[in-house]
Each structure stands twice: as structure tokens, then as C-alpha cells.
Amino acid sequence: ATRNPADTKALSNLAHALRAQGKLIEAASAYRAALSREDAVALRFTLADVLADLGELAAAEVELRNGLASAPDDVPARYTLGWVCQHQNRLKEARDCYEQALARDPQHAHAMNNLGLLLLADEEYDKARALFKRVITLQPDFAPAWRNLGQTFIALGHLDEAVASLERSIQLGSDAAEAWSDIGLIRARQGRNKEAVEHFEQALRLK
């Protein structure tokens, strides 16, 4: 029997609406039903996003890789595949995906930030610092990049710069409790114990 394109459109609209309501399991089912009628790459990538939100990372990866076989230059999908690999602790693959995304879109701030985190974990501090600074140049209000830059400065031993970056991340709404705790550790390391106690107490109030 000939499939009616209107069925696919109705199912995809239903899936979008369910996703907007936070009904992710139902949305995934509707996306799969739409894909059974029409193998649309955009729907496949959206299904992958929903599966990633549900924590079904292996299933999300399957959809991403299938979609990228048809649309290899899709930057958001390459970024999401990196995120999926990163959260499965496959860090080299994640790094490759972020680098591939940035090769196609050098201003992709989230890919840049996540690649910076991997470089930081690998103790490639100068490269990580350069990436986080680039993110902030592109998006000055990107709070996680400020916190990550602070962490990088701590690793480099640049403690005053670390405090300034962490304080900026707090102003922008990053994870304030963790940032205050980091600042407390820095002040303790500097022998400024009274300030350290104040920062640790502030962190505890926010947890």
C-alpha cells in the first residue's frame, strides 16, 4: 500500500508536541512511527536528541550514526554524537567528534567548551585555556566556560585569575556552590583561611 505523506507529517507534529510537553518516551515512539513511514534525516536526528535526553545513549548513537551516513556535514549531530560518546566514557571518540564539528563550524561554542574539558582532563592545559577563552570571546555570557577557565587556571597555578573567572561564572549563574567551594580551596591554598571558611559556608548554603 502507498504510504500517505500526511501520516508522516501528523506523526512528526505529534512527536514534536509530546517532546515539548516533556513526554519523551511517547515522543520517541511517535518519531519512530514517523520514521517507519519516511526515513527523514532530520527526524532521525531529533529522535536521537530525545533518546539522549532519556539516557538511552546506545540507541541515540545508532540513530546519529545512521543519520550522519546520509548527512555527514550536520554539525549539531556531530556535536551530539560527541556528547553521547563522552557520556559513555569513550573520550577519544568524543574528542574526534568535537574536532570534526569544529572543522565544519569553528564557532560552535558547545563543541569548543566540551573539547576544552577533554583537553583539561588530559592535562593539555594551554590548549584548554585557549579554547575556553575563545568560547568566552564568542559568547561572553557562557557561564560554564568561565568556570572551566577557572579550573584551568587552578591547574596552571594562576590562582588570582582562577578566582576572577570563577566569580564571573557565579555572576552568570553557573553552578555557584561548586564555584564558591573552588574559591574556598584557592583561598585556603593561599593561606587566607578566614576567607576560605566564608566561601565554604557560602557553598554549603547553596547546596
Side-chain angles (χ1 to χ4, degrees):
T2 303
R3 296 194 184 279
N4 185 349
D7 292 343
T8 304
K9 184 67 174 175
L11 280 166
S12 62
N13 286 341
L14 173 61
H16 296 329
L18 288 167
R19 185 187 186 193
Q21 292 175 15
K23 298 179 178 179
L24 299 183
I25 294 173
E26 295 89 340
S29 295
Y31 282 123
R32 285 190 170 111
L35 282 165
S36 72
R37 287 160 171 77
E38 179 185 350
D39 189 7
V41 172
L43 283 179
R44 193 168 294 283
F45 288 150
T46 306
L47 171 59
D49 288 340
V50 172
L51 292 170
D53 289 341
L54 285 166
E56 297 181 22
L57 301 185
E61 182 177 349
V62 169
E63 300 300 339
L64 288 163
R65 292 194 184 280
N66 286 340
L68 284 166
S70 302
D73 292 327
D74 190 289
V75 173
R78 289 223 170 262
Y79 165 76
T80 303
L81 181 58
W83 185 93
V84 166
C85 290
Q86 185 174 357
H87 284 76
Q88 295 179 94
N89 207 35
R90 287 156 45 201
L91 303 184
K92 185 182 184 306
E93 290 175 72
R95 183 168 172 168
D96 289 344
C97 289
Y98 294 140
E99 288 174 345
Q100 289 164 9
L102 288 167
R104 292 164 171 82
D105 178 6
Q107 297 189 346
H108 195 293
H110 288 277
M112 218 177 296
N113 183 67
N114 286 11
L115 178 57
L117 284 172
L118 296 178
L119 292 168
L120 178 59
D122 284 342
E123 300 183 1
E124 297 184 49
Y125 300 133
D126 289 332
K127 290 181 180 178
R129 174 176 55 182
L131 275 180
F132 295 135
K133 284 189 169 183
R134 192 168 154 208
V135 174
I136 290 163
T137 299
L138 291 168
Q139 294 189 23
D141 293 340
F142 197 127
W146 281 103
R147 178 154 190 265
N148 296 335
L149 180 60
Q151 293 286 335
T152 307
F153 279 133
I154 291 171
L156 288 164
H158 300 170
L159 301 185
D160 289 334
E161 289 153 296
V163 169
S165 296
L166 292 165
E167 287 178 340
R168 183 61 180 147
S169 80
I170 292 167
Q171 292 169 0
L172 293 169
S174 186
D175 189 339
E178 293 298 326
W180 281 121
S181 183
D182 289 339
I183 295 172
L185 289 169
I186 291 169
R187 292 312 188 204
R189 187 169 160 183
Q190 293 174 321
R192 296 161 65 172
N193 294 321
K194 183 174 183 295
E195 291 176 62
V197 168
E198 291 172 355
H199 293 313
F200 289 139
E201 288 175 345
Q202 179 66 18
L204 287 170
R205 282 193 289 271
L206 293 170
K207 286 186 176 179

